[in-house]
Amino acid sequence: MKLYKINAENYEDYYGTIENRIDRSYTTTIAQTPNCDAFLFLCKDEQDAQTGLTLLSTVPSGFDFTYCQEWGLTINDDVVARVVLDLRRKAYGTWESQLEKINDDGIDSWKTDIAAVKTSIPK
């Protein structure tokens, strides 16, 4: 997963407005500055270089973690890795649903679904 920073003044250009949303369901916002002038998000694919959109190699300081409030963590590279694992876990579904998939559709169908998750949410 790639880590991006977007400035608040470019947020609507990238995500759209409430009335006219741009589908960015493939991104996950994970942090923001205390005054909400910048946000961090994760995306599998590289995004076009847009004003205010910066590809990062590490987590910058000054951001508050917002992905999962009950975790109570400070945003850093380890937390980003934890978010990626959480997104994968949610995409896989419960072990009960995976067993049901194997029982109903066969092991090869289950393997195809798991491979799709691994491709769409890489470590």
Side-chain angles (χ1 to χ4, degrees):
M1 298 288 278
K2 297 177 183 356
L3 179 65
Y4 286 91
K5 174 185 161 190
I6 187 168
N7 294 325
E9 64 265 14
N10 303 105
Y11 199 86
E12 285 187 354
D13 292 337
Y14 186 73
Y15 285 105
T17 63
I18 292 174
E19 298 83 23
N20 191 19
R21 293 177 190 242
I22 299 171
D23 180 23
R24 303 283 189 201
S25 56
Y26 49 85
T27 67
T28 302
T29 301
I30 62 168
Q32 66 189 38
T33 57
N35 62 357
C36 298
D37 67 346
F39 303 86
L40 298 179
F41 69 87
L42 292 171
C43 184
K44 175 182 79 87
D45 300 317
E46 193 159 324
Q47 299 296 295
D48 293 335
Q50 300 179 21
T51 305
L53 191 62
T54 308
L55 177 63
L56 303 173
S57 61
T58 188
V59 175
S61 62
F63 283 83
D64 294 330
F65 185 66
T66 58
Y67 169 71
C68 192
Q69 294 294 338
E70 65 265 18
W71 286 0
L73 301 173
T74 302
I75 186 76
N76 59 34
D77 293 332
D78 291 334
V79 171
V80 170
R82 184 173 173 184
V83 170
V84 171
L85 290 176
D86 188 62
L87 292 170
R88 286 182 90 173
R89 183 185 53 79
K90 288 177 180 176
Y92 287 141
T94 64
W95 65 269
E96 293 95 343
S97 66
Q98 291 185 50
L99 285 175
E100 186 175 333
K101 174 75 174 175
I102 292 168
N103 186 54
D104 292 348
D105 302 329
I107 192 80
D108 290 333
S109 177
W110 171 80
K111 285 180 180 179
T112 300
D113 288 355
I114 295 301
V117 169
K118 289 180 178 185
T119 299
S120 67
I121 308 173
K123 287 184 180 178

